[in-house]
Amino acid sequence: MSAIKSRFGRRSALAIFGGVAITLAASGVGYSQTPARVVKIATSAESKPLAWGAIGVEPQGYEPDLLREINAKLPQYKFEMEGVADIAQETGLATGKYDMACGGYYKSPERAKQFFIPENPMGASLMKIYSRKDSNIKEMKDLVGKRIVPATAGGGTYKFMMSWQKENPQYQLEVTASSAGIPYPNRLDEVQNGKFDALVLPSNLGEQTVIEQKKLDVVASDPVYSNNTYMLIHRSDENKVLADDINRVLKELRDDGTMDKLSQKWFGEEIVKYMK
């Protein structure tokens, strides 16, 4: 009799245990969770406040903060960010060393062929003119006859000015290219001391912070041009799903105000209204 009770007790326990297991499975609770997939990301190392942080240092800035917001909505991934020199970002991405790269990138046909680029942008690069307060320079046509700080040859600013000149031949600007690589804080000093009349540059590099810290008598114009910025993703079958997931979340963060909140924090202005 006791043997029968013992067998009955074991069967009852198994039945109860099985019922609990079924209930847990139905509610989405498992005994073990699939580990989050590690996604290696190259961020800019020296583009404060867009992104900065050398190797071994936790990246800071607008793009790293946005990446953290994206990761919070996609717990199936674990984002690992690393500050990388600009020249090494796309090389590392092409070879598969990194799954993603972020550095204020513009979309181009060449990049679209080589990488996955989410349809939704990360932000916007706003081109502005920096000049002394008494210069009365407010737009590109006001630069006629002015001394413009040389732009990096082949860079986005140089291409923009040359394109604007081509589209507006009635206004002849003195656009020169340079490979000197002089830091933009020094360029702002040159506008302050009168060596140059104006500096044309994207506003997401921390110019306003420099102006305020150095108490420069320099002001920024309203945007004279804006261009969306995107993240680049290494092209692979596995990363196609990653790209789709990120594209969806980028729209959510734009719509719920997160992007504007972060851009206000890091750039002192909202950028979504300029995004195309």
Side-chain angles (χ1 to χ4, degrees), residues 218-254:
V218 174
V219 294
S221 69
D222 289 334
V224 294
Y225 176 73
S226 68
N227 203 354
N228 291 348
T229 58
Y230 298 85
M231 67 175 65
L232 308 180
I233 300 176
H234 176 71
R235 188 175 285 275
S236 69
D237 292 341
E238 186 178 33
N239 283 346
K240 179 63 173 67
V241 176
L242 172 67
D244 291 341
D245 288 338
I246 288 176
N247 186 56
R248 170 176 53 80
V249 172
L250 281 170
K251 185 178 187 307
E252 293 176 6
L253 295 177
R254 176 177 178 171

Side-chain angles (χ1 to χ4, degrees), residues 16-33:
I16 292 172
F17 182 79
V20 171
I22 292 171
T23 301
L24 288 172
S27 63
V29 178
Y31 299 111
S32 62
Q33 294 181 338

Side-chain angles (χ1 to χ4, degrees), residues 71-113:
N71 202 176
K73 287 180 171 287
L74 298 174
Q76 65 269 39
Y77 303 108
K78 180 183 178 183
F79 287 3
E80 291 186 354
M81 293 178 274
E82 178 181 326
V84 180
D86 291 349
I87 194 171
Q89 283 194 33
E90 288 192 60
T91 301
L93 189 65
T95 61
K97 180 179 181 180
Y98 302 107
D99 296 293
M100 292 166 46
C102 302
Y105 289 111
Y106 294 169
K107 184 182 291 186
S108 69
E110 294 76 19
R111 283 175 174 162
K113 289 179 181 178

Side-chain angles (χ1 to χ4, degrees), residues 104-167:
Y105 289 111
Y106 294 169
K107 184 182 291 186
S108 69
E110 294 76 19
R111 283 175 174 162
K113 289 179 181 178
Q114 189 172 16
F115 308 115
F116 288 133
I117 304 178
E119 178 182 349
N120 289 297
M122 290 189 77
S125 174
L126 309 181
M127 199 73 71
K128 297 185 178 182
I129 304 170
Y130 295 86
S131 62
R132 288 179 59 89
K133 291 180 180 178
D134 58 5
S135 70
N136 202 35
I137 296 174
K138 301 182 182 301
E139 51 188 320
M140 291 298 292
K141 67 180 183 180
D142 295 333
L143 295 177
V144 174
K146 304 296 185 180
R147 294 163 297 174
I148 306 170
V149 173
T152 302
T157 299
Y158 181 79
K159 290 179 179 178
F160 158 68
M161 288 195 288
M162 296 305 293
S163 176
W164 187 91
Q165 180 70 91
K166 184 177 180 180
E167 295 172 3

